[in-house]
Amino acid sequence: MSSHLSKQFDLELEGVRTRVLQMGGLVERQLMAAIDAFNTGNIEAMQEVVRTDAEVDAYEVGIDEDCTLLIARRQPAACDLRLVMAISRIVTDLERSGDKAAKIANKSRKLHRVSGQRIPRLSDLHHCGSLVAAMLQGALDSLARMDVDAARQVIRADKEIDAAFNSILRQLVTYMMEDPRTISEALDIIWIAKAIERVGDHATNIAENVIYTVSGIDVRHTGSAARKAEKA
């Protein structure tokens, strides 16, 4: 590849990576908005989260097209090819995270439309959401800097998310045992907590792809990643 074409390829590749980071920032905001709306009962905010999902989907389609064109026109090799392939997987994880945020908003809207709320909004759920948002941000930061150490920190943080989810689950089981009238509401909140936890799994996937891109080592299904796969 000539020097001119090489520079042009680098610019195109950097442009795609920038769009991935923009998409990731949008998903971060979407997730936190969904969790905040669950706590406050802000129906308008829930609807906005759902509307934003179309923008996230558009990012996924556009970036996938860009990746396909890069491979077809530039025929990248080695690390560049790993990055293009990793980006294609990363946008899938981001799109699925956006889907989870939209579903959290929809489930929250259902909960708040039902009169007679019996379970207080758990502070642990908001804490879990904040941890997951930080994981997602950390994964995207590791992509921006191509930082393997930062990516490994994200993967290690998944244990903390599991612990927070288990704490929420224990609290909700207690509510259901003490008052069977809370069962339906508790199950909906468990679904929301599980959706938040799954976004943490997607953040882990992103971090794993960063490690693969930089080092060429596939760390999926090893250690904590293997335990995560067993939950899916």
Side-chain angles (χ1 to χ4, degrees), residues 184-205:
S184 178
E185 184 180 356
L187 290 175
D188 283 339
I189 297 173
I190 288 172
W191 190 98
I192 289 172
K194 185 63 179 176
I196 293 170
E197 187 211 22
R198 286 295 294 136
V199 176
D201 290 341
H202 290 305
T204 299
N205 291 344

Side-chain angles (χ1 to χ4, degrees), residues 94-114:
L94 289 174
E95 189 275 333
R96 288 177 180 170
S97 297
D99 277 350
K100 292 297 183 187
K103 289 175 181 177
I104 289 168
N106 275 323
K107 185 72 74 173
S108 299
R109 185 164 51 184
K110 172 194 167 186
L111 276 169
H112 284 280
R113 281 177 174 169
V114 175

Side-chain angles (χ1 to χ4, degrees), residues 120 172 187 221:
L172 292 169
L187 290 175
H221 312 307

Side-chain angles (χ1 to χ4, degrees), residues 142-191:
S142 73
L143 174 64
R145 302 194 308 269
M146 287 298 165
D147 187 334
V148 169
D149 289 337
R152 292 192 186 279
Q153 288 179 7
V154 171
I155 294 170
R156 286 193 291 269
D158 194 45
K159 289 183 180 179
E160 193 173 356
I161 304 302
D162 290 344
F165 173 76
N166 288 333
S167 175
I168 293 165
L169 190 59
R170 285 193 297 270
Q171 292 178 64
L172 292 169
V173 167
T174 300
Y175 277 110
M176 288 188 284
M177 290 175 65
E178 292 180 349
D179 185 354
R181 293 174 299 175
T182 65
I183 290 175
S184 178
E185 184 180 356
L187 290 175
D188 283 339
I189 297 173
I190 288 172
W191 190 98

Side-chain angles (χ1 to χ4, degrees), residues 8 27 56 65 145 191 200 204 210:
Q8 183 63 30
V27 171
V56 173
E65 289 177 353
R145 302 194 308 269
W191 190 98
T204 299
V210 171

Side-chain angles (χ1 to χ4, degrees), residues 7 17 21 27-28 47 49 53 55 59 69 73 90 107 113-115 148 159-160 169 187 190 193 195 212 218 225:
K7 288 179 181 177
R17 188 166 62 160
L21 295 173
V27 171
E28 280 183 62
Q47 292 170 336
V49 170
D53 199 43
E55 190 175 349
Y59 264 113
L69 287 173
R73 293 188 312 199
I90 286 168
K107 185 72 74 173
R113 281 177 174 169
V114 175
S115 60
V148 169
K159 289 183 180 179
E160 193 173 356
L169 190 59
L187 290 175
I190 288 172
Y212 169 70
D218 191 342

